[in-house]
Amino acid sequence: MAADKKMARVGAPQAFASTNTFDWLFSNPLASPTEYPLESQRVPAVPDSRPIFVDNPSDRTLTYGRLRQDALALGAGLQALGLNPDNLITLPPTPTCSRPEIAPVVVIQLPNTLQFATVVLGTLAAGCTASLVSPALTAGEIAWVLQNSRPSVIIAAKSCMPAMQEAIKAQADQAFFAKVPVFSVDVAGDAYPQTSAAPPSDWKQLLVSRGNTLRKPIVADPALRAAVILWSSGTSGKSKGVLLSHHALNFSVASLWHDADFYQGQQQRFLGYVPFYHVFGLVNTFLLAVCAGATVYTMTAFKLDAMLASIPKRKITYLHMAPPIAVMLAKSPLVEPYEHRDAQGRNAFSTIAAAVTGGAPLGWEVIEKVYDRLGFRIRMGYGLTETCSTSMQRGLTAEEMRAQRGDTGHPHWGVEIMIAADASSASESTRAAAEGAEGEILIRSPCLMMGYLPTGGLAETSKPDMSVSLEALTPDGWFRTGDVGMIDKAGGLHITDRLKELIKVRGFQVAPAELEAILCASEDVADAGVIGIHDKDDQTELPRAFVVPAGKADGPEKLKELAHKLRVLVETHTARYKWLKGGIVFVDQIPKSPSGKILRRVLRDGVVKGVEVSVYEPQRRPSKL
């Protein structure tokens, strides 16, 4: 069944389809009385002096006017390097995009900093496509991104440069990558927006005018032009490049603002610790702040004590978080000094209207505890890299919170959700299930991805392989999420299971096949299977490996030695969130189907017995629950 009755409005807001994301963000798009009938929702023209991004530790400030000015300068600098926004790679059509276009790609590997804002928005201003990469990736993971996106320019944090250079050296097409300029950002030492002399490879060289002027890119239809490439893990074990158009980003941001109910007519103030290179942080915080005139206090990494101190100091109005942060707010003794209320019943959190969490499920007990302890509601949200924002709970009161227990909210404005009648058959994938029945969750909206980068990437080929996109999208434009759920009578979405095998670790996706390939590459491993186990204390999944040793590894000491050897193997090949924090279980055999597919449900259900070794010491926080 379709869960949204507002789809007639999807084509109404013509502004979303008329411009690229940079121009749209700086066009005061949230002032329309037609689209935002409540006066408290409408945003007056944002003054140039408004702080948009503020470095939380140092108070260095990037104002609205300076951000626009520097982004335009950086865009001109990129074009001066020879990046022509009209030099496009056109891909075969997908069910959601008749002609996917990719402009010259700029790979950006930065944490949440002021520089990130200027670099990303400058890339969009130049008409180029920004490929956003996590700073936590290893050289092997970066090499895959470079191989597939074939960037024209690379801009990365100085701390990421060793892995980036190693990834470049690993490329087969050395002739191509020898011509790719690489610029570094000294996150720790750069006092931007203060300016100073910079070495030739420093990113600020792109800000130097040299008489460069930005040539306005021609974007005939922003629904066809890729604005960003985000990287989402797949069941194949390799990350997939998700193509999101300018139109998708514009519509997603506008849809969020349309449905949010935390407005009180005041300027919004956010803490920016959710990674901006992740779709959650990119849409909900980074892009929304620019057009809403909100102020984001950026943090390169999350630290609970810094977050707690910043909330009353900055008078934060709304929080974005992954489930583990909600657990900290519910349980940590560090919160105690901030929870006490004055004679008027106010505490350090009283400026916060609400919070939203996404990326993984969050237990009801934690949500209720935070409300009782601190006085604001945490609302569940649902979305994927391929769909941007999909649904969110609404309402701020305890009554509304309890009424929505167990669901992940209603679809955002302009979003359709359907429960498929038969998730096992592609031909039946767009037939709706009976009301209240479970099935695969399908999503259709203007926020959907255009598709994935073709198999084999953007290397010159006459026939790009779009099979992965066609498997994920139905012929009539629905995205197959791989999640199983149902829609209740009130229209709330309930997620009950997952068809796909991805493990969600604190909002990041981990492909079991990737870890299995790494483990099985060891001469000490005969076979391996990886699943996610739920950690109740941290409210996240953790990767757990079931390993069949090669040869004899008898005795607990030998198994412990092998387990720690495998731990080091995984650590050297993957980002931290992929590490085997769920432990290693040594077994005699990995259960498989006749076709050879690992029976992960058998592993999850505890049917397979073995010797478990914890390769990481548990780090439990004291609990008040």
Side-chain angles (χ1 to χ4, degrees), residues 60-79:
R60 287 182 288 108
T61 299
L62 197 54
T63 64
Y64 185 83
R66 179 64 183 274
L67 176 60
R68 181 179 57 221
Q69 169 191 312
D70 283 1
L72 290 169
L74 188 134
L78 289 174
Q79 291 183 356

Side-chain angles (χ1 to χ4, degrees), residues 18 48 54 80 97 120-121 166 170 343 392 459 519 546:
S18 64
D48 283 349
V54 178
C97 187
V120 170
L121 293 177
E166 185 179 343
M392 188 177 74
L519 292 169
F546 290 79

Side-chain angles (χ1 to χ4, degrees), residues 425-436:
S425 171
S427 62
E428 297 289 334
S429 62
T430 52
R431 183 168 63 85
E435 183 174 351

Side-chain angles (χ1 to χ4, degrees), residues 258-281:
H258 182 278
D259 284 338
D261 54 2
F262 57 84
Y263 319 101
Q264 298 174 9
Q266 85 275 37
Q267 181 196 348
Q268 298 300 311
R269 293 179 294 277
F270 306 147
L271 279 178
Y273 48 75
V274 175
F276 294 158
Y277 58 80
H278 189 282
V279 70
F280 184 22

